[in-house]
Amino acid sequence: MGSERIKYYSTNLKSETVSFREALLKGLAPDGGLYMPSAIPLLDRNTLLSLHELEYHELAYTILRHLTGDEIDEKVLFQLCGDAYDFDIPLEHVTARRYIMRLDSGPTASFKDFAARMMSRMMQYFLASEKKSLTILTATSGDTGSAVASAFHGLENIRVIILFPIDEVSTMQRKQMTTLGKNVNIIGIRGKFDDCQRLVKSAFTDSSLSHLPLSSANSINTGRLLPQSVYYFYAWSRLRKHSDEKIIFSVPSGNFGNLMGGLIAGKMGLPVEKFVISTNMNGEVPEFLGTGKYTPVVPSVNCISSAMNVGHPSNLARIIALYGGIMNEKGEILRQPDMKAMNRDLAGISISDKDTGNTIFECFSKYSKLLEPHGAVAWKGLTSYINDHGISADQLSVTLETAHPAKFPEEIRSVTGIDPELPASLTGLDKLKEEYIVIDKDYENLKRILLEI
Ligand SMILES: *Cc1c(COP(=O)(O)O)cnc(C)c1O
């Protein structure tokens, strides 16, 4: 099992199919499309039914083994999973058969740790076996930067350069990046997030830097997608009453990488009743599901669930590909996907900030569960779906909590009056020494640094 090699194709269908290794190290396909597994392997029933006996890292190994074929040595993959997943994944009962899965216990208290930690280790494996090195260059507006910096911290063969807008990230977010040191280099930019992204793009297209092996490790990388399938299997394996029980997931969505992980799990045979796509007021995907017409939200709407303020999700092309359609890199739909099948599997709901705040209050006062804005969007999406469709109280359902409430202290304090307790991973940052440089937003400054480091 798992010894066959899965090929990865580009959603633009104009590039060659590649191995997992290539998809991982390349990031984006040469035709500007996103890589997708060409055939998603179905787990056999025995494997599916034995998942509940496995610890999280063993379960991750089992799933990833199927998706990476024989490209990573079995024993090594097992070690990498053990190394990446050394933290808890709490599943909390709320009411009836509804649960919250907290994906916030990793080193940066964000669900992005799940993907970033595994992607970094798989990259390092391939680089080390080829005696190559790589520079990861990424721009961040907050959470992604800290997850990537932490995930690559201390890994050999890889150096990391992260650009952030000095006035647009919180002190906590900055300290999560600037106190690491070693192979992690942090650069503050006197400018906005868009300036940081522009600088990164300039470096990637600068032919005089082509001798530097640069990679972006951003959220469209296949290596970030696949590890996000695993926790869907984990939740089901722990909560199911019988082997065929179907589960509803509510996924708080921005760029839809998290949801794509779930959809891949579904294709691998996980018994899913429905994926509820819960967005904030950037509701272009729920609207697309309803009308079949896709209109990006430009500019994106600022909501308190800030990591989901996305008006044109980067993973939408993958979802459309999964349902037989084609969306190009400009966001135009060249072939309409099977809308009927999409609406059978997915239900989209867009939630206002007011409802998000009310949900944080309600969950806390009614169930003593503390949610942050993204998890609250998911919970509200789930309860609306259950109420609107008269779903029975016996239906198993799980919402994903994607960040720790302590990362959003103002929002939580304003509706509940309490200060969320800091998790261990976020305490003590004040005592550590910060190291970063600050530069102006012109490209020559960045280029000089890239050539020097
Ligand atoms: C990134 C992020 C999301 C959105 O995840 P996508 O995979 O982009 O849909 C949701 N919540 C939090 C806290 C995030 O950091």
Side-chain angles (χ1 to χ4, degrees), residues 110-112 143-144 228 251-259 307-308 310 315 372 374 402-403 408:
S110 154
F111 94 100
K112 293 191 169 70
D143 271 2
T144 302
Q228 292 180 167
V251 187
S253 294
N255 271 314
F256 287 79
N258 198 354
L259 180 80
M308 310 199 303
V310 182
N315 274 291
E372 51 70 58
H374 307 80
T402 45
F408 301 89

Side-chain angles (χ1 to χ4, degrees), residues 84-149:
Y85 300 119
D86 56 355
F87 50 86
D88 288 342
I89 298 103
L91 276 159
E92 294 178 2
H93 178 244
V94 185
T95 181
R97 297 209 68 218
R98 299 181 208 168
Y99 294 79
I100 297 169
M101 176 158 57
R102 292 199 187 266
L103 302 173
D104 62 359
S105 305
T108 72
S110 154
F111 94 100
K112 293 191 169 70
D113 287 329
F114 282 83
R117 285 174 71 77
M118 200 62 216
M119 172 178 67
S120 58
R121 282 161 179 77
M122 293 190 292
M123 276 183 167
Q124 192 208 17
Y125 166 77
F126 287 117
L127 291 168
S129 64
E130 296 160 21
K131 299 205 169 39
K132 285 189 178 153
S133 64
L134 190 69
T135 298
I136 301 285
L137 178 65
T138 300
T140 186
S141 55
D143 271 2
T144 302
S146 48
V148 167

